[in-house]
Amino acid sequence: MTITLNGESSELASGTTARSLVEHVTGRQLATDGTPVDGGRLGVALAVDGEVIRRGLWAEFAIVDGQTVDIVTAVQGG
């Protein structure tokens, strides 16, 4: 299937969940509640078609063909 990921076309396997997509993008393993297994901070948010998906739902949230997915990283500034 094809989605738009952070503004670019991306191919994904059918049945990809939000959690597995975030794991792929960040290179970190996540627990079912969306927290990093290593105990560190993740610092990302995920939105699908403009709607923020709560971290606790990532493991069950299936990405489907044609969706627009944005994964953003929190940054500090001043």
Side-chain angles (χ1 to χ4, degrees):
M1 71 178 163
T2 303
I3 67 164
T4 302
L5 175 61
N6 293 339
E8 296 187 18
S9 181
S10 185
E11 293 292 323
L12 296 179
S14 181
T16 298
T17 64
R19 180 180 125 196
S20 62
L21 182 58
V22 172
E23 286 178 326
H24 174 74
V25 169
T26 64
R28 295 181 68 193
Q29 186 178 4
L30 303 177
T32 55
D33 66 356
T35 59
V37 172
D38 63 17
R41 297 180 136 253
L42 188 59
V44 301
L46 177 131
V48 177
D49 294 333
E51 182 178 334
V52 174
I53 308 301
R54 287 189 358 243
R55 189 174 308 244
L57 300 177
W58 289 357
E60 299 175 9
F61 189 93
I63 305 297
V64 297
D65 189 51
Q67 287 184 312
T68 298
V69 179
D70 293 297
I71 299 175
V72 295
T73 304
V75 294
Q76 289 183 320

